[in-house]
Amino acid sequence: MAANGDNPMLSAHALTLLEKYNTIENVQSMAALANTLLNKNDSVINIYLATSLGPWVKVSSGIFLPILAKISQIYRGTAIYQEAVTSSLNGIEEKFQALLNNPILSKTTNGLIDSVLSSTIKNRNDGKMNSIFVNERVPNDARTNGLLIFSTTCSTCHGTAGEGIENIGPPLKGSQYVEGPSERLATIILNGLEGPVHVNGVLYKFNGSMPNFGNNYTDSQIEDMIKYLHNAFVSKPTDAINATKIKELRNKKPGTLTEKELSAMTYKIELKRK
Ligand code: HEC
């Protein structure tokens, strides 16, 4: 089955298709597929899995809520996964909460899901829509837009979970360049980067360099991408950035950057902020 193949995007598309086959006869095979996919431990597949299970939860919450609980636990530090999981609950948030709080499951604390669930329940009780998942399927907000760009472009060199790829690209997970000033991060994406670079205290020397993406993406696409990077790979980004600021940064400095230029830039940005 295509959803069980090796290519994460292929699996993601197939999963989206499988949302149409949510009948009681298919529950067992879907559960088996979901578990196979989970075992691949692929962050892109897992976010699609989390957002695709909504229709299945409606058919059998007993089977699919525990799968969502697993995803929620694996990514307990990352908001976008908690939102993806919550987007598949469709009104049975309390039931999910009870499952998570079941002491038999030896719950490790997961403050993020607790707060996403309570605000979803509160919004529902107040008759309000949930701004982050008004769509039925993959919530079409800035972070999922960013996720799509990330998984089609950046993951080729940085890995689907931002863990980096040997000899190809450094990690983004935990990187000070993702966590630090957003203007610097935007400039890396706009201009590209070359020469040796330190990430998480490790010196990387690649043969290739990071291409520039200024001509490939609009200001707001880069804004979305940065939102995703912040959500997926660091716990406390220094600051946020918007499309207007990204527009200003375009062509401020022509050509590919080096680590040296980046550190000079950080200095300037930090000075300005004081
Ligand atoms: C063709 C491979 C390639 C692609 C595609 C690519 N990068 Fe990179 N990236 C690199 C390399 C190589 C470096 C290290 C450059 C150096 O040696 O100075 C890097 C460095 C970085 C850094 C700074 C170092 C770090 O790890 O934090 C960031 C941030 C970054 N890339 C983000 C992105 C984003 C976002 C995308 C998608 C828009 C992307 N990259 C796409 C190869 C790539």
Side-chain angles (χ1 to χ4, degrees):
M1 192 184 304
N4 192 6
D6 274 333
N7 178 332
M9 285 321 282
L10 200 65
S11 304
H13 291 311
L15 270 176
T16 318
L17 287 175
L18 283 175
E19 289 174 39
K20 296 200 191 105
Y21 296 94
N22 59 328
T23 60
I24 195 83
E25 307 85 76
N26 289 333
V27 160
Q28 289 307 333
S29 19
M30 183 62 196
L33 175 64
N35 281 311
T36 311
L37 291 175
L38 256 186
N39 286 333
K40 286 184 193 289
N41 214 357
D42 181 305
S43 61
V44 174
I45 293 180
N46 286 343
I47 198 147
Y48 275 92
L49 186 58
T51 52
S52 307
L53 288 180
W56 292 95
V57 170
K58 280 188 189 149
V59 179
S60 170
S61 63
I63 287 187
F64 294 101
L65 284 186
I67 297 177
L68 289 174
K70 232 185 227 171
I71 300 176
S72 170
Q73 277 302 104
I74 297 172
Y75 299 96
R76 56 183 168 275
T78 313
I80 188 172
Y81 286 89
Q82 307 310 326
E83 291 170 359
V85 164
T86 308
S87 75
S88 281
L89 298 175
N90 301 308
I92 55 165
E93 292 79 12
E94 283 95 342
K95 195 167 176 182
F96 188 63
Q97 239 174 2
L99 176 71
L100 290 179
N101 289 317
N102 185 336
I104 295 166
L105 294 175
S106 72
K107 187 199 172 214
T108 30
T109 37
N110 183 347
L112 268 177
I113 190 75
D114 290 341
S115 75
V116 176
L117 286 174
S118 347
S119 73
T120 306
I121 293 167
K122 182 171 187 313
N123 281 345
R124 195 186 58 232
N125 292 343
D126 294 350
K128 276 197 222 137
M129 290 281 253
N130 245 311
S131 56
I132 46 173
F133 17 82
V134 279
N135 283 350
E136 259 212 286
R137 246 190 335 102
V138 177
N140 194 16
D141 81 348
R143 282 153 297 186
T144 42
N145 293 339
L147 166 74
L148 286 178
I149 299 175
F150 176 81
S151 55
T152 50
T153 308
C154 322
S155 68
T156 323
C157 296
H158 291 284
T160 46
E163 73 279 29
I165 299 179
E166 192 77 35
N167 299 322
I168 307 274
L172 299 176
K173 201 169 178 64
S175 160
Q176 76 273 21
Y177 292 112
V178 178
E179 185 177 77
S182 300
E183 293 187 10
R184 182 175 68 182
L185 177 55
T187 310
I188 296 176
I189 298 169
L190 289 167
N191 290 60
L193 189 66
E194 67 187 358
V197 66
H198 290 80
V199 181
N200 298 334
V202 178
L203 175 64
Y204 292 90
K205 290 180 181 165
F206 296 100
N207 290 327
S209 52
M210 153 104 181
N212 65 71
F213 290 97
N215 295 326
N216 301 71
Y217 296 110
T218 63
D219 301 326
S220 67
Q221 281 176 317
I222 293 176
E223 178 186 349
D224 289 347
M225 202 186 312
I226 291 177
K227 275 193 188 138
Y228 173 71
L229 296 173
H230 281 165
N231 265 288
F233 302 130
V234 295
S235 44
K236 261 206 175 86
T238 312
D239 56 8
I241 193 165
N242 59 30
T244 319
K245 187 74 218 171
I246 292 165
K247 191 182 183 130
E248 279 172 35
L249 292 173
R250 276 183 191 273
N251 307 320
K252 226 179 175 176
K253 178 195 170 306
T256 313
L257 300 158
T258 61
E259 188 175 42
K260 220 175 173 171
E261 289 169 302
L262 285 182
S263 52
M265 237 193 94
T266 319
Y267 183 59
K268 224 169 62 203
I269 292 170
E270 279 169 1
L271 263 191
K272 250 188 358 204
R273 256 200 213 99
K274 283 198 175 131

